[in-house]
Amino acid sequence: MLNERTPLITSGVCGLTLTSCGAASDSTQDPSPGEPTQNPRRLNTFFGVMVPTILSMFSIVLFLRTGFVVGHAGLLQGLLMIVVAYTIISLTILSICAISTNGAIQGGGAYYMISRSLGPEFGGSIGLMFYMAKVFACGEYVLGLVEAILNVFGADPESSVSEGVRVLPQGYWYTVLYSTVILLLCLIVCLVGAHIYSRTAFAILLVVTVSLLSIFISSVAVKPQTFIIVHQGPGNQTHRYNASYTGYSATTLRNNLGSDYSLDYSTNSVMSFATVFAVMFTSCTGIMAGANMSGELKTPSVSIPKGTIIAVIYTFTVYVLLFILASATCDRTLLVQDYGFFQRISLWPPLVTVGIYCASLSAAMCAMIGASRILHALAVDHLFGLPLAPAAITSNSGNPWVAVLYTWGLAQCVVFAGQLNAVAGLVTVFYLLAYAAVDLACLALEWASAPNFRPTFQFFSWHTCLLGILSCLVMMFVINPVYSSGSIVLLLLLLLFLHYRSPTSSWGYISQALIFHQVRKYLLMLDVRKDHVKFWRPQVLLMVSNPRSSCQLILFVNQLKKGGLYVLGHVQLGDLDSLPSDPVQTKYNFWLSLVDKLGVKAFVDLTLSPSVRQGTQHLLRITGLGGMKPNMLVLGFYDSCTPDDFFLQDSAFCQSSVGKNGEGEYNFGVDLPSLQAYFPPVRHVESPRWLQPEEYVGIISDALKMNKNVCLGRYFFQLQGENKDSKTDGSERVIDVWPLNLLQLGSCDYQDVCSLFLLQMACVLNMSSKWRHAKMRIFLNVETGSSDQGWVVHEETFRELLKKLRIRASIKIVPWDSVVQRCAVPEGERSAELAPLLTEDMLAAVNCMLKEHSSQATVRFLYLPRPPAARSQSQQYLSQLEAVTNSLGPTLLIHGVTTVTYTDL
């Protein structure tokens, strides 16, 4: 075989095809001057995952909001918040570990995991929201760092003269100015490259660790103290508070056990469990700091789970110890009125100050780097078009410097909030939504039961994923219902935007795996032994030779299926024994692209066979699955008409329509020129036929023997208004039904199976969207010259039948005495089979009768007689059908063998 030695696909999530280093791409591209030319993967587990994750999780909460949480919530509720927050992130970490150990992870971190698992729409929308969460977090960390700087160097609000080191003026615009300077510093570091930050981050972690050790030592070594705390209130009022540090005291611990939510001096608003939890949860938003560095990690599938779990355990232990230390050594006033109280109770305050600055600055830089990597991955995937296109540019070392500039500009807008606590709720809601999406991605992969989803990390299940999703959503609305509702609405808008942009990709869609899983389950439940006539619906196999001349018939049958199975069948002539491989397998994409262009809801089934008749038999037997198998065969009419080329008439197949779809749309390897080139030109009059009359009639006979209903469509190239862009509702259309066998003269049985099937199909068409307002007429042929006037009874009987069948139609009585008189068959010799002695005059008379009464009809339904048993009469059979339907316009000849009508409930 040609492809037996094909190398393994470069694996991504669930074995998806990935081709670029640092971000995913749909196709292999040559490196351009703006793209990396060397491998940027340099970081190991410790430097690439553990260090940034620990620093991001410490951030500002460790030093600047521990007292805020314990002071307002108390030790018990504070520990409850820690447990709840870490439970949520632990469930998410299990999902991250499962996804990241199921294949190679490229640049983009969480966005990459979600998009390659859930598809571009969901991945792109969540990725953009996760990017915004990182941007807001960066601004929040910068505001926290400015707050810490002003605690030490800010001028006294009571004094107009600077004292000692307190020389920095305070105020809203000064806060924005200081934040801008710090953001510029972060920008410079991030432009140098992530690897430089990762190396310096280790030094920062050492400083933070030493600062933490000094706090624990100070809690034992420092003697009890009393402090006077001054705050500038609204209206230039000055508030003074007496606070004390007691050292380890059972009384202090007991007093700090319960909650006492009060006024937050930084925002002048009363705190609650939700607002305090929102601030505290920002300490848990750093769990993906390592995952966001996936493009720089040597082995991301190993480093991400291992480094993240160790970092989470370490930070959880530190937070619990600090909460206990604060509640046992400081009174509530000190905790609530001075968020930087660790500096006051330290043996050497500058060491704690340096730790605060380092933790906040590193968290801000980590957020900026992580956000830029997400934005770069979004830009490389072309999900949002031109606005993000420049963010795909990188330096020679692989650093996405344009994405860094984007992030810096947006973070600069965030710092205009002025206070850390003002943006904490929004940051937390964005992160919780992103975490819920990661859990959803893992849940979908687990429920899909795809064989290629076999992560090496096994400590997860669908229960943990589902619990993670629910806990994230619940806490979102507990924290801030307005922000939560707004973020979900924004997510839905982004989903709709990406869906209508149609960014079709080759990443693979989890929805397809889930649909397959559910369809298989329901197909097994669809038991053919439980079929009942009142739930019958048409399930159509339409045989197509060349779509160029059959598109109108394809579109018409799409209206005729009434929610049933619809399959386009095609037989390619050939013998597999004489071919190196099956040529049919490579043709499916062309036919599926045709289905997409036409906008019909149809499957495609192709086969290779020495003859069309044998291939049609194959398709009638094997097409479909379980209870979804064709019960009706539709064929184009066999005549000598020169077919029209529909590709030249429909704008969807013209070159002018190229480029109307979204930029970067994945077309599964079939563009419009390829589609047009694949299907051959329409047949000319002098062109030889591949199908002989005997074989065509044999196909009809085979279908009837297999208990399949048969329809022959003629002149459907004249039918207009069936394409997907048509807005017609059928109000100007007319459906004519002739339920009598017009080639079996003297027949008056309007209630046989075939006639009732004819009525049912006309009614089904009348219920479709483009025909629902069409007028339906039923023509009854009668011999008015008969002396017994039995036709009057037949008319009344037929009206009662239509009433029972709930078919709304007008009945037209058509005398056909003149037609019967032209028949050369004696009345006593008429039979159910086609009469071979029908004269040309009689056939012409039938045709004239049809033209006279149905000339204004949009489509006509005629009774199709059974084909003759003798092969030699096939040509005569077709000639008679051709004569009867000559120049009628769109006509459907139907022979039904299935009982399809039901009058009871």
Side-chain angles (χ1 to χ4, degrees), residues 743-763:
L743 298 186
Q744 184 181 339
L745 302 180
S747 172
C748 58
D749 188 1
Y750 294 99
Q751 299 189 38
D752 69 346
V753 172
C754 187
S755 296
L756 293 176
F757 186 87
L758 203 69
L759 292 172
Q760 180 79 337
M761 294 309 300
C763 186

Side-chain angles (χ1 to χ4, degrees), residues 391-551:
I393 300 174
T394 61
S395 65
N396 290 333
S397 61
N399 187 31
W401 62 272
V402 178
V404 173
L405 290 176
Y406 270 66
T407 306
W408 167 78
L410 291 175
Q412 180 63 56
C413 297
V414 174
V415 300
F416 282 98
Q419 290 294 338
L420 181 155
N421 289 2
V423 295
L426 189 58
V427 172
T428 300
V429 166
F430 276 162
Y431 270 109
L432 283 171
L433 190 60
Y435 293 166
V438 174
D439 289 322
L440 178 62
C442 189
L443 177 67
L445 289 169
E446 178 69 8
W447 274 355
S449 302
N452 279 327
F453 183 63
R454 44 180 186 272
T456 56
F457 183 87
Q458 295 292 322
F459 299 100
F460 78 101
S461 69
W462 69 267
H463 304 86
T464 61
C465 300
L466 186 60
L467 185 59
I469 295 171
L470 295 177
S471 59
C472 287
L473 294 177
V474 168
M475 289 313 301
M476 280 174 59
F477 283 92
V478 168
I479 290 169
N480 194 310
V482 176
Y483 287 165
S484 301
S485 302
S487 63
I488 292 175
V489 169
L490 178 59
L491 173 64
L492 293 177
L493 291 176
L494 290 172
L495 276 170
L496 290 174
F497 170 75
L498 291 175
H499 176 74
Y500 285 110
R501 268 194 99 245
S502 300
T504 311
S505 70
S506 61
W507 304 340
Y509 292 81
I510 190 63
S511 59
Q512 295 295 303
L514 291 173
I515 291 170
F516 177 89
H517 190 267
Q518 292 303 110
V519 167
R520 180 195 63 84
K521 180 191 299 182
Y522 286 114
L523 275 175
L524 291 172
M525 296 170 62
L526 190 61
D527 193 341
V528 294
R529 296 169 296 182
K530 298 179 182 178
D531 282 348
H532 194 279
V533 62
K534 64 182 177 182
F535 300 119
W536 180 91
R537 66 179 71 238
Q539 304 197 81
V540 184
L541 171 63
L542 171 62
M543 297 302 298
V544 180
S545 174
N546 188 351
R548 286 182 177 270
S549 58
S550 308
C551 284

